[in-house]
Amino acid sequence: MLVEWAQAGEPVDAEFTTGLDALDQEVQAGEIKKMLGGEHDRKNAIVTIHPGAGGTESQDWAEMLMRMYTRWAERHGFKVELLDLLAGEEAGIKSVDLQISGQYAYGLLKAEKGVHRLVRISPFDSQSRRHTSFASVFVYPVVEEDIEIEIDPDDLRIDTFRASGKGGQHVNKTSSAVRITHLPTNIVVSCQQERSQFKNKATALKMLKARLYERAVAEREAKKAEVDKQKTDISWGNQIRSYVFQPYTMVNDHRTELKVADVQKVMDGDLDPFIEAYLKRFGRQAA
């Protein structure tokens, strides 16, 4: 259509530029989604923020980060829920947990895990000295609390045998006892308490579900422990990004070397350039 207008002598420069920009944004969005193929990338996210040492100054910085992520979520049309907040004595916050719900919320926000460093003239310093503050940001995927245990009959080997021990003539002479082997995990359960093979099988299946549930919980806890290892000290040398307000303005991501001079724009939630740079560099390696 634009080509036809141009051939007809119509001015299309502005429309053409707008069309190219829209196409570029669509391509960029497609590239980012290709990088969001992790197990939990599509899930909602829980963002946890803790200030580092430094009292009121660091607590104020943690609250500024909370506002920044809230603004980012609003820009994307995501829902923000305040799950828990512990306010500071004078200003700021001691900790906060936010749930951010939206498509690929975790996949995008996982780029924000780490220590964030602030450099500014402190509003809490009567001598107007420059202070450096730290706060940690951690991001978890929202997973269902209940673990659903589904057992595929094809995964089971069911054997019957004669019950042993007390139980009378019937118990000793019929194959009422049941042993079930879960082939994928090699978990074996058996039951011979009832005279009915049907009842023993039902009880054995309950036992197997309990064993599988216990195994699933242990695996989930192991994964969480592995994720928690990624946490670092909230101090010098561990920051992923620096936000400098004085003596110049600059936001510098130390992992991708992306620098943005408009620090206020970033604090108002314009985090997409940093998230995109992180995903493009680390892609599926990002945890």
Side-chain angles (χ1 to χ4, degrees):
M1 181 66 73
L2 290 175
V3 174
E4 292 176 0
W5 288 354
Q7 290 175 344
E10 296 289 338
V12 295
D13 289 352
E15 290 84 354
F16 190 71
T17 300
T18 302
L20 283 178
D21 289 343
L23 179 61
D24 181 63
Q25 291 177 7
E26 188 174 336
V27 171
Q28 292 280 351
E31 289 180 356
I32 294 301
K33 283 191 176 182
K34 285 183 180 179
M35 300 172 192
L36 296 175
E39 179 184 359
H40 300 299
D41 282 354
R42 288 178 176 267
K43 289 184 169 61
N44 300 329
I46 292 177
V47 178
T48 300
I49 305 172
H50 290 286
T56 301
E57 180 68 31
S58 292
Q59 291 171 16
D60 186 57
W61 173 225
E63 186 172 33
M64 292 168 66
L65 289 173
M66 178 181 72
R67 176 184 177 275
M68 181 181 75
Y69 290 118
T70 300
R71 291 292 183 89
W72 175 85
E74 291 170 349
R75 283 170 174 250
H76 286 265
F78 291 171
K79 180 181 178 183
V80 181
E81 296 177 75
L82 181 61
L83 302 180
D84 188 43
L85 184 145
L86 182 60
E89 285 85 359
E90 297 180 31
I93 57 174
K94 291 183 177 179
S95 67
V96 67
D97 294 295
L98 300 172
Q99 178 168 318
I100 298 180
S101 303
Q103 191 176 32
Y104 293 105
Y106 174 73
L108 296 169
L109 285 169
K110 67 186 180 184
E112 296 300 299
K113 296 178 185 179
V115 177
H116 296 245
R117 170 177 171 251
L118 169 69
V119 180
R120 67 170 177 175
I121 301 297
S122 172
F124 307 101
D125 189 332
S126 59
Q127 299 181 33
S128 297
R129 290 172 294 190
R130 191 171 66 177
H131 285 242
T132 298
S133 305
F134 299 91
S136 71
V137 174
F138 208 74
V139 185
Y140 299 92
V142 176
V143 295
E144 296 297 328
E145 287 297 325
D146 296 328
I147 298 177
E148 296 280 339
I149 300 298
E150 295 184 4
I151 298 177
D152 187 341
D154 292 337
D155 290 339
L156 303 180
R157 185 178 71 235
I158 301 176
D159 302 308
T160 58
F161 57 97
R162 292 184 180 182
S164 60
K166 296 180 180 180
Q169 183 179 12
H170 174 81
V171 172
N172 292 321
K173 291 188 176 181
T174 63
S175 298
S176 59
V178 175
R179 179 186 298 111
I180 299 177
T181 303
H182 187 246
L183 300 176
T185 60
N186 204 34
I187 292 175
V188 180
V189 295
S190 61
C191 182
Q192 56 179 317
Q193 296 304 311
E194 302 289 342
R195 292 188 175 187
S196 165
Q197 184 185 110
F198 177 80
K199 289 182 178 179
N200 281 332
K201 179 180 178 182
T203 301
L205 283 172
K206 288 181 181 179
M207 294 166 62
L208 177 60
K209 279 194 174 184
R211 293 278 299 275
L212 290 173
Y213 179 86
E214 182 182 21
R215 178 187 176 96
V217 170
E219 288 177 349
R220 185 174 66 178
E221 292 301 314
K223 285 183 179 180
K224 184 178 183 300
E226 189 65 29
V227 170
D228 286 341
K229 287 181 181 179
Q230 299 173 31
K231 295 183 178 179
T232 56
D233 292 334
I234 313 173
S235 60
W236 282 99
N238 294 315
Q239 64 268 14
I240 64 165
R241 191 178 301 147
S242 294
Y243 306 71
V244 181
F245 285 73
Q246 279 95 13
Y248 55 89
T249 60
M250 180 69 68
V251 181
N252 180 16
D253 193 293
H254 305 293
R255 302 161 300 176
T256 63
E257 298 304 322
L258 177 64
K259 297 177 176 62
V260 174
D262 192 344
V263 65
Q264 193 55 56
K265 187 177 181 182
V266 175
M267 297 308 301
D268 283 336
D270 188 19
L271 293 171
D272 287 346
F274 296 102
I275 292 173
E276 291 173 9
Y278 176 84
L279 291 175
K280 286 177 179 177
R281 178 161 183 174
F282 297 100
R284 294 179 182 271
Q285 298 176 9

mmCIF file with all atom_site columns, all heavy atoms in Angstrom, residues 224-238:
data_model
loop_
_atom_site.group_PDB
_atom_site.id
_atom_site.type_symbol
_atom_site.label_atom_id
_atom_site.label_alt_id
_atom_site.label_comp_id
_atom_site.label_asym_id
_atom_site.label_entity_id
_atom_site.label_seq_id
_atom_site.pdbx_PDB_ins_code
_atom_site.Cartn_x
_atom_site.Cartn_y
_atom_site.Cartn_z
_atom_site.occupancy
_atom_site.B_iso_or_equiv
_atom_site.pdbx_formal_charge
_atom_site.auth_seq_id
_atom_site.auth_comp_id
_atom_site.auth_asym_id
_atom_site.auth_atom_id
_atom_site.pdbx_PDB_model_num
ATOM 1   N N   . LYS A 1 224 ? 14.924 -25.931 44.547 1.00 0.00 ? 224 LYS A N   1
ATOM 2   C CA  . LYS A 1 224 ? 14.901 -24.638 45.236 1.00 0.00 ? 224 LYS A CA  1
ATOM 3   C C   . LYS A 1 224 ? 16.251 -24.350 45.891 1.00 0.00 ? 224 LYS A C   1
ATOM 4   O O   . LYS A 1 224 ? 16.754 -23.227 45.847 1.00 0.00 ? 224 LYS A O   1
ATOM 5   C CB  . LYS A 1 224 ? 13.795 -24.615 46.288 1.00 0.00 ? 224 LYS A CB  1
ATOM 6   C CG  . LYS A 1 224 ? 13.628 -23.260 46.986 1.00 0.00 ? 224 LYS A CG  1
ATOM 7   C CD  . LYS A 1 224 ? 12.494 -23.298 47.974 1.00 0.00 ? 224 LYS A CD  1
ATOM 8   C CE  . LYS A 1 224 ? 12.294 -21.928 48.608 1.00 0.00 ? 224 LYS A CE  1
ATOM 9   N NZ  . LYS A 1 224 ? 13.454 -21.444 49.335 1.00 0.00 ? 224 LYS A NZ  1
ATOM 10  N N   . ALA A 1 225 ? 16.846 -25.388 46.492 1.00 0.00 ? 225 ALA A N   1
ATOM 11  C CA  . ALA A 1 225 ? 18.157 -25.207 47.123 1.00 0.00 ? 225 ALA A CA  1
ATOM 12  C C   . ALA A 1 225 ? 19.202 -24.825 46.082 1.00 0.00 ? 225 ALA A C   1
ATOM 13  O O   . ALA A 1 225 ? 20.083 -23.999 46.336 1.00 0.00 ? 225 ALA A O   1
ATOM 14  C CB  . ALA A 1 225 ? 18.565 -26.482 47.848 1.00 0.00 ? 225 ALA A CB  1
ATOM 15  N N   . GLU A 1 226 ? 19.098 -25.428 44.891 1.00 0.00 ? 226 GLU A N   1
ATOM 16  C CA  . GLU A 1 226 ? 20.038 -25.110 43.820 1.00 0.00 ? 226 GLU A CA  1
ATOM 17  C C   . GLU A 1 226 ? 19.867 -23.662 43.363 1.00 0.00 ? 226 GLU A C   1
ATOM 18  O O   . GLU A 1 226 ? 20.836 -22.952 43.112 1.00 0.00 ? 226 GLU A O   1
ATOM 19  C CB  . GLU A 1 226 ? 19.813 -26.053 42.643 1.00 0.00 ? 226 GLU A CB  1
ATOM 20  C CG  . GLU A 1 226 ? 20.869 -25.959 41.563 1.00 0.00 ? 226 GLU A CG  1
ATOM 21  C CD  . GLU A 1 226 ? 22.236 -26.400 42.032 1.00 0.00 ? 226 GLU A CD  1
ATOM 22  O OE1 . GLU A 1 226 ? 22.316 -27.252 42.944 1.00 0.00 ? 226 GLU A OE1 1
ATOM 23  O OE2 . GLU A 1 226 ? 23.236 -25.898 41.494 1.00 0.00 ? 226 GLU A OE2 1
ATOM 24  N N   . VAL A 1 227 ? 18.611 -23.224 43.273 1.00 0.00 ? 227 VAL A N   1
ATOM 25  C CA  . VAL A 1 227 ? 18.339 -21.833 42.891 1.00 0.00 ? 227 VAL A CA  1
ATOM 26  C C   . VAL A 1 227 ? 18.861 -20.874 43.950 1.00 0.00 ? 227 VAL A C   1
ATOM 27  O O   . VAL A 1 227 ? 19.446 -19.836 43.660 1.00 0.00 ? 227 VAL A O   1
ATOM 28  C CB  . VAL A 1 227 ? 16.822 -21.625 42.678 1.00 0.00 ? 227 VAL A CB  1
ATOM 29  C CG1 . VAL A 1 227 ? 16.489 -20.151 42.534 1.00 0.00 ? 227 VAL A CG1 1
ATOM 30  C CG2 . VAL A 1 227 ? 16.371 -22.364 41.429 1.00 0.00 ? 227 VAL A CG2 1
ATOM 31  N N   . ASP A 1 228 ? 18.664 -21.236 45.229 1.00 0.00 ? 228 ASP A N   1
ATOM 32  C CA  . ASP A 1 228 ? 19.109 -20.360 46.322 1.00 0.00 ? 228 ASP A CA  1
ATOM 33  C C   . ASP A 1 228 ? 20.616 -20.174 46.336 1.00 0.00 ? 228 ASP A C   1
ATOM 34  O O   . ASP A 1 228 ? 21.127 -19.174 46.829 1.00 0.00 ? 228 ASP A O   1
ATOM 35  C CB  . ASP A 1 228 ? 18.651 -20.920 47.671 1.00 0.00 ? 228 ASP A CB  1
ATOM 36  C CG  . ASP A 1 228 ? 17.152 -20.726 47.896 1.00 0.00 ? 228 ASP A CG  1
ATOM 37  O OD1 . ASP A 1 228 ? 16.563 -19.870 47.195 1.00 0.00 ? 228 ASP A OD1 1
ATOM 38  O OD2 . ASP A 1 228 ? 16.586 -21.424 48.748 1.00 0.00 ? 228 ASP A OD2 1
ATOM 39  N N   . LYS A 1 229 ? 21.356 -21.139 45.787 1.00 0.00 ? 229 LYS A N   1
ATOM 40  C CA  . LYS A 1 229 ? 22.814 -21.021 45.741 1.00 0.00 ? 229 LYS A CA  1
ATOM 41  C C   . LYS A 1 229 ? 23.250 -19.836 44.884 1.00 0.00 ? 229 LYS A C   1
ATOM 42  O O   . LYS A 1 229 ? 24.369 -19.344 45.012 1.00 0.00 ? 229 LYS A O   1
ATOM 43  C CB  . LYS A 1 229 ? 23.434 -22.310 45.187 1.00 0.00 ? 229 LYS A CB  1
ATOM 44  C CG  . LYS A 1 229 ? 23.399 -23.483 46.144 1.00 0.00 ? 229 LYS A CG  1
ATOM 45  C CD  . LYS A 1 229 ? 24.062 -24.699 45.509 1.00 0.00 ? 229 LYS A CD  1
ATOM 46  C CE  . LYS A 1 229 ? 24.011 -25.899 46.426 1.00 0.00 ? 229 LYS A CE  1
ATOM 47  N NZ  . LYS A 1 229 ? 24.633 -27.089 45.797 1.00 0.00 ? 229 LYS A NZ  1
ATOM 48  N N   . GLN A 1 230 ? 22.349 -19.409 43.977 1.00 0.00 ? 230 GLN A N   1
ATOM 49  C CA  . GLN A 1 230 ? 22.696 -18.316 43.078 1.00 0.00 ? 230 GLN A CA  1
ATOM 50  C C   . GLN A 1 230 ? 22.716 -16.968 43.803 1.00 0.00 ? 230 GLN A C   1
ATOM 51  O O   . GLN A 1 230 ? 23.221 -15.991 43.284 1.00 0.00 ? 230 GLN A O   1
ATOM 52  C CB  . GLN A 1 230 ? 21.694 -18.263 41.924 1.00 0.00 ? 230 GLN A CB  1
ATOM 53  C CG  . GLN A 1 230 ? 21.657 -19.517 41.084 1.00 0.00 ? 230 GLN A CG  1
ATOM 54  C CD  . GLN A 1 230 ? 20.544 -19.459 40.069 1.00 0.00 ? 230 GLN A CD  1
ATOM 55  O OE1 . GLN A 1 230 ? 20.162 -18.406 39.581 1.00 0.00 ? 230 GLN A OE1 1
ATOM 56  N NE2 . GLN A 1 230 ? 20.009 -20.613 39.735 1.00 0.00 ? 230 GLN A NE2 1
ATOM 57  N N   . LYS A 1 231 ? 22.144 -16.937 44.996 1.00 0.00 ? 231 LYS A N   1
ATOM 58  C CA  . LYS A 1 231 ? 22.142 -15.685 45.755 1.00 0.00 ? 231 LYS A CA  1
ATOM 59  C C   . LYS A 1 231 ? 23.559 -15.335 46.168 1.00 0.00 ? 231 LYS A C   1
ATOM 60  O O   . LYS A 1 231 ? 24.363 -16.183 46.521 1.00 0.00 ? 231 LYS A O   1
ATOM 61  C CB  . LYS A 1 231 ? 21.248 -15.807 46.997 1.00 0.00 ? 231 LYS A CB  1
ATOM 62  C CG  . LYS A 1 231 ? 19.777 -15.999 46.676 1.00 0.00 ? 231 LYS A CG  1
ATOM 63  C CD  . LYS A 1 231 ? 18.950 -16.036 47.949 1.00 0.00 ? 231 LYS A CD  1
ATOM 64  C CE  . LYS A 1 231 ? 17.475 -16.174 47.644 1.00 0.00 ? 231 LYS A CE  1
ATOM 65  N NZ  . LYS A 1 231 ? 16.656 -16.231 48.866 1.00 0.00 ? 231 LYS A NZ  1
ATOM 66  N N   . THR A 1 232 ? 23.862 -14.042 46.136 1.00 0.00 ? 232 THR A N   1
ATOM 67  C CA  . THR A 1 232 ? 25.197 -13.588 46.505 1.00 0.00 ? 232 THR A CA  1
ATOM 68  C C   . THR A 1 232 ? 25.106 -12.548 47.605 1.00 0.00 ? 232 THR A C   1
ATOM 69  O O   . THR A 1 232 ? 24.039 -12.040 47.927 1.00 0.00 ? 232 THR A O   1
ATOM 70  C CB  . THR A 1 232 ? 25.910 -12.963 45.287 1.00 0.00 ? 232 THR A CB  1
ATOM 71  O OG1 . THR A 1 232 ? 25.087 -11.906 44.759 1.00 0.00 ? 232 THR A OG1 1
ATOM 72  C CG2 . THR A 1 232 ? 26.130 -13.998 44.201 1.00 0.00 ? 232 THR A CG2 1
ATOM 73  N N   . ASP A 1 233 ? 26.249 -12.237 48.203 1.00 0.00 ? 233 ASP A N   1
ATOM 74  C CA  . ASP A 1 233 ? 26.287 -11.186 49.213 1.00 0.00 ? 233 ASP A CA  1
ATOM 75  C C   . ASP A 1 233 ? 25.872 -9.853  48.601 1.00 0.00 ? 233 ASP A C   1
ATOM 76  O O   . ASP A 1 233 ? 26.192 -9.549  47.451 1.00 0.00 ? 233 ASP A O   1
ATOM 77  C CB  . ASP A 1 233 ? 27.705 -11.050 49.789 1.00 0.00 ? 233 ASP A CB  1
ATOM 78  C CG  . ASP A 1 233 ? 28.102 -12.279 50.601 1.00 0.00 ? 233 ASP A CG  1
ATOM 79  O OD1 . ASP A 1 233 ? 27.191 -12.949 51.108 1.00 0.00 ? 233 ASP A OD1 1
ATOM 80  O OD2 . ASP A 1 233 ? 29.306 -12.547 50.695 1.00 0.00 ? 233 ASP A OD2 1
ATOM 81  N N   . ILE A 1 234 ? 25.153 -9.063  49.404 1.00 0.00 ? 234 ILE A N   1
ATOM 82  C CA  . ILE A 1 234 ? 24.669 -7.762  48.931 1.00 0.00 ? 234 ILE A CA  1
ATOM 83  C C   . ILE A 1 234 ? 25.768 -6.735  49.211 1.00 0.00 ? 234 ILE A C   1
ATOM 84  O O   . ILE A 1 234 ? 25.721 -5.984  50.182 1.00 0.00 ? 234 ILE A O   1
ATOM 85  C CB  . ILE A 1 234 ? 23.349 -7.379  49.631 1.00 0.00 ? 234 ILE A CB  1
ATOM 86  C CG1 . ILE A 1 234 ? 22.381 -8.568  49.614 1.00 0.00 ? 234 ILE A CG1 1
ATOM 87  C CG2 . ILE A 1 234 ? 22.708 -6.183  48.964 1.00 0.00 ? 234 ILE A CG2 1
ATOM 88  C CD1 . ILE A 1 234 ? 21.121 -8.344  50.411 1.00 0.00 ? 234 ILE A CD1 1
ATOM 89  N N   . SER A 1 235 ? 26.784 -6.731  48.360 1.00 0.00 ? 235 SER A N   1
ATOM 90  C CA  . SER A 1 235 ? 27.939 -5.885  48.654 1.00 0.00 ? 235 SER A CA  1
ATOM 91  C C   . SER A 1 235 ? 28.732 -5.620  47.383 1.00 0.00 ? 235 SER A C   1
ATOM 92  O O   . SER A 1 235 ? 28.375 -6.031  46.289 1.00 0.00 ? 235 SER A O   1
ATOM 93  C CB  . SER A 1 235 ? 28.832 -6.589  49.694 1.00 0.00 ? 235 SER A CB  1
ATOM 94  O OG  . SER A 1 235 ? 29.279 -7.836  49.185 1.00 0.00 ? 235 SER A OG  1
ATOM 95  N N   . TRP A 1 236 ? 29.883 -4.914  47.565 1.00 0.00 ? 236 TRP A N   1
ATOM 96  C CA  . TRP A 1 236 ? 30.783 -4.601  46.461 1.00 0.00 ? 236 TRP A CA  1
ATOM 97  C C   . TRP A 1 236 ? 31.217 -5.864  45.740 1.00 0.00 ? 236 TRP A C   1
ATOM 98  O O   . TRP A 1 236 ? 31.407 -6.916  46.337 1.00 0.00 ? 236 TRP A O   1
ATOM 99  C CB  . TRP A 1 236 ? 32.027 -3.893  46.988 1.00 0.00 ? 236 TRP A CB  1
ATOM 100 C CG  . TRP A 1 236 ? 31.839 -2.440  47.302 1.00 0.00 ? 236 TRP A CG  1
ATOM 101 C CD1 . TRP A 1 236 ? 31.621 -1.882  48.529 1.00 0.00 ? 236 TRP A CD1 1
ATOM 102 C CD2 . TRP A 1 236 ? 31.863 -1.359  46.362 1.00 0.00 ? 236 TRP A CD2 1
ATOM 103 N NE1 . TRP A 1 236 ? 31.488 -0.532  48.412 1.00 0.00 ? 236 TRP A NE1 1
ATOM 104 C CE2 . TRP A 1 236 ? 31.636 -0.170  47.108 1.00 0.00 ? 236 TRP A CE2 1
ATOM 105 C CE3 . TRP A 1 236 ? 32.035 -1.284  44.983 1.00 0.00 ? 236 TRP A CE3 1
ATOM 106 C CZ2 . TRP A 1 236 ? 31.593 1.085   46.504 1.00 0.00 ? 236 TRP A CZ2 1
ATOM 107 C CZ3 . TRP A 1 236 ? 31.987 -0.042  44.383 1.00 0.00 ? 236 TRP A CZ3 1
ATOM 108 C CH2 . TRP A 1 236 ? 31.772 1.134   45.133 1.00 0.00 ? 236 TRP A CH2 1
ATOM 109 N N   . GLY A 1 237 ? 31.391 -5.758  44.442 1.00 0.00 ? 237 GLY A N   1
ATOM 110 C CA  . GLY A 1 237 ? 31.932 -6.843  43.647 1.00 0.00 ? 237 GLY A CA  1
ATOM 111 C C   . GLY A 1 237 ? 30.914 -7.850  43.176 1.00 0.00 ? 237 GLY A C   1
ATOM 112 O O   . GLY A 1 237 ? 31.229 -8.708  42.364 1.00 0.00 ? 237 GLY A O   1
ATOM 113 N N   . ASN A 1 238 ? 29.688 -7.769  43.700 1.00 0.00 ? 238 ASN A N   1
ATOM 114 C CA  . ASN A 1 238 ? 28.665 -8.734  43.323 1.00 0.00 ? 238 ASN A CA  1
ATOM 115 C C   . ASN A 1 238 ? 27.528 -8.107  42.516 1.00 0.00 ? 238 ASN A C   1
ATOM 116 O O   . ASN A 1 238 ? 26.596 -8.801  42.136 1.00 0.00 ? 238 ASN A O   1
ATOM 117 C CB  . ASN A 1 238 ? 28.068 -9.383  44.581 1.00 0.00 ? 238 ASN A CB  1
ATOM 118 C CG  . ASN A 1 238 ? 29.091 -10.235 45.315 1.00 0.00 ? 238 ASN A CG  1
ATOM 119 O OD1 . ASN A 1 238 ? 29.828 -10.999 44.706 1.00 0.00 ? 238 ASN A OD1 1
ATOM 120 N ND2 . ASN A 1 238 ? 29.146 -10.082 46.621 1.00 0.00 ? 238 ASN A ND2 1
#
